[in-house]
Amino acid sequence: MSPDNFLRLSAILYGNPSTNPPAPPLVPVCRAAWYRGIKSGRYPPPVKLGRVSVWRASEIYALIAK
């Protein structure tokens, strides 16, 4: 996956179990903990694309690398 892409919250928190092999979650926390982390500054804020909230893949990969 290119770091210039966007990720939706479901891909970050839950992965994609329907792929072969299944993709694990990138940040395995619950949705409420994710939004608390955004509010506290631990996780990056979303980018709004219309009505959809997405996150920059580069920011998520940097978070994982930390």
Side-chain angles (χ1 to χ4, degrees), residues 16-53:
N16 190 351
S18 63
T19 61
N20 190 12
L26 298 174
V27 182
V29 298
C30 70
R31 182 181 293 265
W34 178 260
Y35 282 110
R36 281 193 306 267
I38 291 171
K39 188 174 181 179
S40 71
R42 181 175 182 181
Y43 301 131
V47 175
K48 295 295 272 187
L49 295 179
R51 295 174 46 187
V52 178
S53 294

Side-chain angles (χ1 to χ4, degrees), residues 3 5 9 17-18 21-22 35 51 55-56 60 63 66:
N5 289 338
L9 187 59
S18 63
Y35 282 110
R51 295 174 46 187
W55 284 260
R56 288 182 178 86
I60 299 301
L63 173 71
K66 239 192 329 187

